[in-house]
Amino acid sequence: MTATGVPQVLDAGTPYEEFRAALLADGLLYETGARGVYGYSARYQSVVAALDRLITTLGGDLFEMVTFPPVLARPTFDRTDYLRSFPDLMGSVHVFRGGDREHRLLARRYDEGGDWPELLDPSEVVLSSAACHPLYALASGNLPRGGRHFEIQNWCFRHEPSVDPARMVAFRMHELVFIGEPGAAQQYRDTMLDTSVEQLAALGLPMEVVPANDPFFGRVGTILATSQLEENLKLEGVTPICSEQRPTAIISGNCARDHFGGPFGITTADGAVAHSACVAFGVDRITLALLHRHGLDPSKWPGQVRRRLWR
Amino acid sequence: MTATGVPQVLDAGTPYEEFRAALLADGLLYETGARGVYGYSARYQSVVAALDRLITTLGGDLFEMVTFPPVLARPTFDRTDYLRSFPDLMGSVHVFRGGDREHRLLARRYDEGGDWPELLDPSEVVLSSAACHPLYALASGNLPRGGRHFEIQNWCFRHEPSVDPARMVAFRMHELVFIGEPGAAQQYRDTMLDTSVEQLAALGLPMEVVPANDPFFGRVGTILATSQLEENLKLEGVTPICSEQRPTAIISGNCARDHFGGPFGITTADGAVAHSACVAFGVDRITLALLHRHGLDPSKWPGQVRRRLWR
């Protein structure tokens, strides 16, 4: 069981498997041969693009937009401490650094259907686990008074293969981030999450805001999860997709406190360690929630929803 | 030396390093801590988005658009035979599959600044090496008469860290692909490449079409490279970015013949093995070529160029 209560392995015939089958049969998603990794049709992609535009509007001119590739420098990843909490979700990029001789060995292993990837070496990058992770290195140093606002879009990777279509291994996250004074960061999280959840509700999605319960790994993780809950650091906006009892998180609001400001050397105008807060939109999950609620053909969605997305 | 004649390691003070420094100083690109991996500003991204729209228009309604995530199923990667030709460029995604005990070991190694990635295991995915690689598995089976046209956008990964800003480790590729009869595939490559190169020239880029000379790996690679040249299978549209003598490939036109149709079981309406051809736009390289030619502020580019991109 994980954060939103969805079991990792789901049997065929469940509502998850049925929704997934419908998305594939209708040509919205394509299978790729790796569980949780999909190709996206133009129709699906048009909803993603519309949501991205809507989120950009929510941020407004105050926000500096930065786009990152799907890979993250390993030293940056190390400083996020993600490996301690979610080792099972991360992806590390390994490469071939050999010469002709090693290539012959690699090719032979490959021809024999053997385990050729074990002949590779770690590269200087990992896959992005969260859209905002590459940001903090870029923001290091002294902030202007009033802090800084960023809008970040990114492909993220979380290794949790599942037949639940809302639990993709590769997916898009769009974040609105604030870095500044501690009090301002807390207030930003609360107001921006409220505004954003209202926008999602206006798209016809029944929304509820609940304390998040991240799937921290292992025995130490139980302590971390309890602490996260007690301190109310992360809230999630959930909506039922395939299950009323186990709604899916489609947006989260996070108080990271000094978790990034400290390791990345970000300071407020007064020289104190900066706090950060972000609202993260799970764009693929929101797309799936809309397709589940309003039907698989966006051209037939309620006029009010269409006008908000394609005005 | 590689395909376009750019050495892998370039000294500071070269035109490559100078252009890179200008892009960073002007805030178009951000450094991330990994060579060849950048963050992209809103200004840079606006050019990328405009180019993507232009390429979509070039394709037109005939083309089915499919968007893929940056990761590719390993069995699909294996069938492209990329590992044999370009082992040094590929990236394999490795993950943690252990329990509490193994996590303690991993965390200790991480705390000590040791080589924790070596404790990971290969996952079922690699990074996409070319935008169209995930496509062929999806197109397997019998084609309709006249073949099929696809438009593909994707983040690609090629591990060749360089100070040449046009040689990014993670970059965007946008492809227009045809799969069908052998003769039609050859003709598609020639006409679509011509049309596309004309469009790039109309953006004010001096273009030349030359036989490509891919950086096939090692001693066997020399034979593959010679064969590619002799058979005229790959053409590149090049333009000078940082060097007149060594122009940069910003688009390529490829006759893949039965390289994908065979392994992925794609057949023509008559049941023969299908041939494929693609025109691949290096969207980041085109963006850099435009910034180098017309200046770092797109709002001051020649009206004719701006109208084509932002009509």
Side-chain angles (χ1 to χ4, degrees):
Chain A
M1 305 289 279
T2 65
T4 49
V6 179
Q8 287 295 299
V9 177
L10 298 163
D11 295 330
T14 65
Y16 301 96
E17 176 61 36
E18 278 169 25
F19 184 42
R20 184 173 172 279
L23 292 161
L24 293 168
D26 208 62
L28 278 156
L29 296 182
Y30 302 101
E31 288 199 276
T32 65
R35 177 159 285 192
V37 179
Y38 299 95
Y40 306 94
S41 74
R43 186 148 42 106
Y44 182 99
Q45 185 60 22
S46 73
V47 181
V48 168
L51 287 169
D52 279 330
R53 283 193 302 270
L54 187 69
I55 297 163
T56 296
T57 310
L58 261 175
D61 290 343
L62 202 59
F63 286 71
E64 305 169 45
M65 187 191 284
V66 190
T67 307
F68 288 103
V71 294
L72 176 68
R74 195 179 294 276
T76 297
F77 176 75
D78 284 351
R79 283 195 278 173
T80 66
D81 227 24
Y82 192 84
L83 189 71
R84 203 178 305 281
S85 302
F86 310 105
D88 51 329
L89 298 183
M90 67 90 59
S92 173
V93 180
H94 291 209
V95 296
F96 175 71
R97 297 192 192 269
D100 254 328
R101 193 186 138 101
E102 291 77 15
H103 187 217
R104 277 199 297 278
L105 184 64
L106 185 74
R108 193 157 62 234
R109 191 77 71 90
Y110 164 71
D111 286 337
E112 290 164 356
D115 185 15
W116 59 262
E118 72 170 15
L119 300 173
L120 305 178
D121 293 313
S123 76
E124 59 281 18
V125 293
V126 301
L127 294 180
S128 280
S129 317
C132 66
H133 280 173
L135 171 67
Y136 305 101
L138 181 156
S140 81
N142 203 239
L143 294 169
R145 200 158 296 279
R148 283 175 82 178
H149 295 76
F150 292 96
E151 178 186 355
I152 311 291
Q153 294 186 52
N154 208 346
W155 279 95
C156 297
F157 177 88
R158 293 188 187 168
H159 192 249
E160 41 179 357
S162 167
V163 300
D164 177 3
R167 197 164 287 279
M168 293 176 182
V169 166
F171 57 94
R172 284 155 281 197
M173 198 188 285
H174 195 146
E175 292 196 36
L176 298 172
V177 184
F178 171 77
I179 317 178
E181 304 280 342
Q186 172 80 45
Q187 196 185 354
Y188 168 84
R189 195 276 304 262
D190 294 340
T191 55
M192 183 53 84
L193 181 62
D194 276 356
T195 309
S196 305
V197 166
E198 273 169 32
Q199 286 288 325
L200 295 174
L203 295 176
L205 299 175
M207 297 295 300
E208 193 185 352
V209 174
V210 299
N213 191 357
D214 276 345
F216 289 99
F217 184 83
R219 269 186 286 180
V220 176
T222 312
I223 303 162
L224 292 169
T226 306
S227 150
Q228 185 188 54
L229 271 175
E230 279 172 0
E231 307 196 55
N232 204 27
L233 295 179
K234 181 170 181 178
L235 298 172
E236 286 177 341
V238 301
T239 195
I241 299 183
C242 293
S243 163
E244 293 287 336
Q245 291 75 39
R246 293 166 171 168
T248 300
I250 59 173
I251 185 173
S252 69
N254 306 273
C255 287
R257 291 191 177 161
D258 61 358
H259 182 74
F260 298 114
F264 289 99
I266 315 174
T267 51
T268 65
D270 297 327
V273 175
H275 279 210
S276 65
C278 66
V279 172
F281 296 79
V283 179
D284 284 287
R285 285 190 174 181
I286 300 170
T287 302
L288 292 172
L290 290 168
L291 290 166
H292 192 269
R293 174 128 316 242
H294 302 308
L296 299 187
D297 184 354
S299 73
K300 295 182 181 146
W301 288 357
Q304 187 186 327
V305 175
R306 285 189 52 76
R307 275 190 298 278
R308 283 185 175 267
L309 289 171
W310 291 282
R311 53 185 145 194
Chain B
M1 304 290 280
T2 64
T4 49
V6 179
Q8 288 297 296
V9 176
L10 298 162
D11 294 331
T14 65
Y16 302 95
E17 176 62 36
E18 278 169 23
F19 184 42
R20 183 174 172 278
L23 292 161
L24 293 168
D26 209 62
L28 278 156
L29 295 182
Y30 302 102
E31 288 200 276
T32 66
R35 176 159 285 192
V37 179
Y38 299 95
Y40 306 94
S41 73
R43 186 150 40 106
Y44 182 100
Q45 186 60 22
S46 73
V47 182
V48 168
L51 287 169
D52 279 330
R53 283 194 302 271
L54 187 68
I55 297 163
T56 296
T57 310
L58 262 175
D61 290 343
L62 202 57
F63 286 71
E64 304 169 45
M65 187 191 283
V66 190
T67 307
F68 288 102
V71 295
L72 176 67
R74 195 179 293 276
T76 297
F77 175 75
D78 284 351
R79 283 195 278 173
T80 66
D81 227 25
Y82 192 85
L83 190 69
R84 203 177 307 279
S85 302
F86 310 106
D88 51 329
L89 299 183
M90 67 90 58
S92 172
V93 180
H94 291 209
V95 295
F96 175 70
R97 297 192 193 270
D100 254 327
R101 196 186 135 102
E102 291 77 15
H103 187 217
R104 276 198 298 277
L105 184 64
L106 185 74
R108 194 157 62 233
R109 191 78 70 91
Y110 163 72
D111 287 337
E112 290 163 355
D115 185 14
W116 58 264
E118 72 169 15
L119 300 174
L120 305 178
D121 293 312
S123 76
E124 58 282 17
V125 294
V126 300
L127 294 181
S128 280
S129 316
C132 66
H133 280 173
L135 171 67
Y136 305 100
L138 182 155
S140 81
N142 204 235
L143 295 168
R145 201 158 294 279
R148 283 174 83 178
H149 295 77
F150 292 96
E151 178 186 357
I152 312 291
Q153 295 185 52
N154 208 345
W155 279 94
C156 297
F157 178 87
R158 292 188 188 168
H159 191 249
E160 43 179 356
S162 167
V163 299
D164 177 2
R167 198 165 286 280
M168 293 176 181
V169 166
F171 57 94
R172 283 154 282 197
M173 198 187 287
H174 196 146
E175 291 196 36
L176 298 172
V177 184
F178 171 78
I179 317 178
E181 305 281 344
Q186 173 78 45
Q187 196 186 354
Y188 169 84
R189 194 277 302 261
D190 293 341
T191 54
M192 184 52 85
L193 182 62
D194 277 356
T195 311
S196 305
V197 166
E198 273 168 31
Q199 286 289 325
L200 295 174
L203 295 176
L205 299 176
M207 296 294 300
E208 194 185 350
V209 175
V210 298
N213 191 358
D214 275 345
F216 288 100
F217 184 83
R219 270 186 285 180
V220 176
T222 312
I223 303 162
L224 293 169
T226 307
S227 150
Q228 185 188 55
L229 270 175
E230 278 171 0
E231 307 197 53
N232 205 27
L233 295 179
K234 182 170 181 177
L235 299 172
E236 285 177 341
V238 302
T239 194
I241 299 183
C242 293
S243 163
E244 292 288 334
Q245 291 76 36
R246 293 167 171 169
T248 300
I250 59 173
I251 184 172
S252 69
N254 306 273
C255 287
R257 293 195 178 158
D258 61 357
H259 183 74
F260 298 114
F264 290 99
I266 314 174
T267 51
T268 66
D270 296 327
V273 175
H275 279 210
S276 65
C278 67
V279 171
F281 296 79
V283 180
D284 284 288
R285 286 189 174 181
I286 301 171
T287 302
L288 291 172
L290 291 168
L291 290 165
H292 192 269
R293 173 126 318 240
H294 302 308
L296 300 186
D297 184 354
S299 73
K300 295 182 181 146
W301 288 358
Q304 187 185 327
V305 175
R306 285 190 52 76
R307 275 190 298 277
R308 282 184 177 269
L309 289 171
W310 290 281
R311 53 185 146 195

